[in-house]
Amino acid sequence: SLCAAGCAELACGGCTACDPLTGECIRTAYPDGTACDDLNPGTQNDVCVAGTCKGEVICGPYTCTTTNPCMMATCSSDGATCTETPMADNTPCTNAENYRNPPVCKSGVCGPPNTDPCEAHVCVASDSCHGAGVCTVLAGAPVCTTPLLPNYTPCDDMDPLTIEDVCVEGTCMGRGRCHGECPTPSQCYVNDGCDANTGVCGTSSRADGSKCNDGNPDTLNDVCKGAG
């Protein structure tokens, strides 16, 4: 049974029964004015108000109270002014009896609980080539779409050896820093290829005495000497 663990008592709502099919507790709100404990050491004279435990906030010589179950009485830092602060969204609130799904606070107002799984679900982009999408409900659960960003949208493929990264059909692709073949300045140099980190072509001198051809028919025994 889904009710095997029982229903926990709330500060201002006792458990009347448990629905064995859903495991939801059927509670009864305690009458307004019933003593309770809001577990806040900065309050006193805690009582139930519309199913929520509320205390008087100690504010210098004053006490701060509110009758709104979705507002929290607070005291200014100088201890001179009482203010109201909205309770966190989806905090249960009720003044009804025998409720199964208690109303919840939304922006300081007590209202029906969320029935749309997408209402509190935030869609985020999966990577730099997909948009955040929109939330849809699939089998009762929120699911976000994953739209492709247009081709050639700038992105980051997270590869430090590529540059000018752009989206291509949903995949971020960059080009290497090296383009084509590196030229060799003369026969007396060795082509060391392109450095993928910088895109710069490198060469090194051949050893003195290495055979070469200076292209002059009037010379013999051509060899490399010095820097080419």
Side-chain angles (χ1 to χ4, degrees):
S1 170
L2 295 176
C3 293
C7 291
E9 294 288 317
L10 300 180
C12 287
C15 181
T16 303
C18 175
D19 187 330
L21 297 178
T22 65
E24 295 173 347
C25 292
I26 304 172
R27 303 183 185 279
T28 299
Y30 295 155
D32 286 357
T34 300
C36 59
D37 184 358
D38 65 3
L39 303 179
N40 183 352
T43 62
Q44 61 185 5
N45 302 326
D46 303 346
V47 295
C48 294
V49 178
T52 302
C53 188
K54 290 185 172 293
E56 298 174 343
V57 176
I58 303 170
C59 190
Y62 311 103
T63 56
C64 306
T65 61
T66 177
T67 58
N68 186 337
C70 286
M71 298 296 285
M72 180 171 52
T74 56
C75 179
S76 62
S77 58
D78 59 5
T81 307
C82 293
T83 59
E84 288 188 343
T85 303
M87 301 282 282
D89 283 357
N90 298 317
T91 298
C93 60
T94 184
N95 57 4
E97 295 185 353
N98 296 325
Y99 56 93
R100 292 172 179 264
N101 294 317
V104 295
C105 296
K106 295 179 183 178
S107 302
V109 178
C110 187
N114 291 338
T115 56
D116 181 1
C118 284
E119 184 171 344
H121 190 77
V122 178
C123 293
V124 297
S126 58
D127 56 46
S128 58
C129 284
H130 289 80
V134 295
C135 183
T136 59
V137 179
L138 180 63
V143 177
C144 292
T145 59
T146 55
L148 301 181
L149 294 182
N151 285 342
Y152 306 112
T153 297
C155 59
D156 184 358
D157 65 2
M158 309 304 292
D159 184 348
L161 300 183
T162 61
I163 57 176
E164 300 176 2
D165 305 345
V166 294
C167 296
V168 179
E169 299 301 327
T171 300
C172 188
M173 304 176 66
R175 67 172 181 82
R177 298 177 184 274
C178 296
H179 292 279
E181 296 182 359
C182 291
T184 302
S186 76
Q187 300 173 52
C188 291
Y189 285 90
V190 175
N191 189 334
D192 295 329
C194 178
D195 186 335
N197 291 291
T198 63
V200 177
C201 290
T203 57
S204 54
S205 299
R206 297 177 64 189
D208 284 357
S210 298
K211 292 184 178 181
C212 61
N213 185 350
D214 66 4
N216 186 347
D218 296 329
T219 61
L220 298 172
N221 303 322
D222 303 341
V223 295
C224 296
K225 184 177 181 181

